[in-house]
Amino acid sequence: MSDLSLTILPETANDAQAIERLHARTFGPGRFVLSAYRIREHVDHLVGSVRQLPICVGDTKALLLGPLTVEPPFRSRGVGRALLDRALKDAKAQGHRLVLLVGDEAYYSRVGFKAIPKGRAAMPGPVDYKRLLVVELVDGAFTDVSGAIRPDWSFAR
């Protein structure tokens, strides 16, 4: 990534259309039926983007990371990793203890994500539970956590 200079900024309302176009190009129309998108419904929303939505797993607060997306010409240049590192750093700095996502364990395990044990968490709609991952930002934070995954609307108050 030494030949690529990045500026990573928090998303603003003015970014919504550009980010949505990026998601359309990189994930296609099938993205709307994915479980993670169903949790993000009704949440408004460049070379890449990553989002984190406050959720609950049972009664435990967490974040749902994603989508993490990068424009095709910028892939394999460290943009996704930089966005991921920044998202986790910011989450920890804000006092969050857990981050979940639906994704490829081989990619996300490099920053500590692990598969959630079968039966510990349930998402709405169809999901490949082998791709449901969690990273503890605080050691042991996922030890006694289980339940349904849902948006945490208390953050909007």
Side-chain angles (χ1 to χ4, degrees):
M1 197 170 103
S2 61
D3 66 334
L4 184 64
S5 177
L6 293 177
T7 301
I8 299 175
L9 301 170
E11 178 181 338
T12 69
N14 293 334
D15 300 324
Q17 288 182 342
I19 291 170
E20 187 53 39
R21 287 190 303 269
L22 174 60
H23 293 174
R25 286 190 301 275
T26 58
F27 293 115
R31 69 191 182 280
F32 296 110
V33 300
L34 301 173
S35 292
Y37 266 84
R38 295 186 69 184
I39 289 177
R40 293 183 196 105
E41 285 178 348
H42 313 296
V43 178
D44 289 332
H45 236 163
L46 156 29
V47 299
S49 168
V50 64
R51 287 179 152 174
Q52 295 191 91
L53 174 71
I55 60 168
C56 290
V57 182
D59 293 327
T60 303
K61 293 182 180 291
L63 292 175
L64 180 67
L65 187 139
L68 170 62
T69 183
V70 177
E71 287 279 10
F74 293 91
R75 291 182 183 163
S76 299
R77 297 180 71 184
V79 175
R81 178 62 186 263
L83 289 169
L84 182 57
D85 289 346
R86 173 69 179 269
L88 295 177
K89 178 183 171 194
D90 288 353
K92 188 170 186 170
Q94 294 168 8
H96 295 284
R97 299 168 48 87
L98 295 170
V99 178
L100 281 72
L101 63 78
V102 178
D104 180 29
E105 187 175 12
Y107 179 83
Y108 291 102
S109 66
R110 295 181 278 179
V111 294
F113 280 91
K114 297 177 183 172
I116 292 177
K118 187 176 181 176
R120 289 273 302 274
M123 291 190 74
V127 65
D128 180 353
Y129 282 96
K130 293 177 196 149
R131 295 174 54 83
L132 184 57
L133 310 176
V134 64
V135 66
E136 294 177 323
L137 301 177
V138 174
D139 288 341
F142 195 67
T143 301
D144 295 320
V145 175
S146 66
I149 299 170
R150 60 179 170 75
D152 176 9
W153 292 112
S154 68
F155 78 93
R157 291 185 196 144

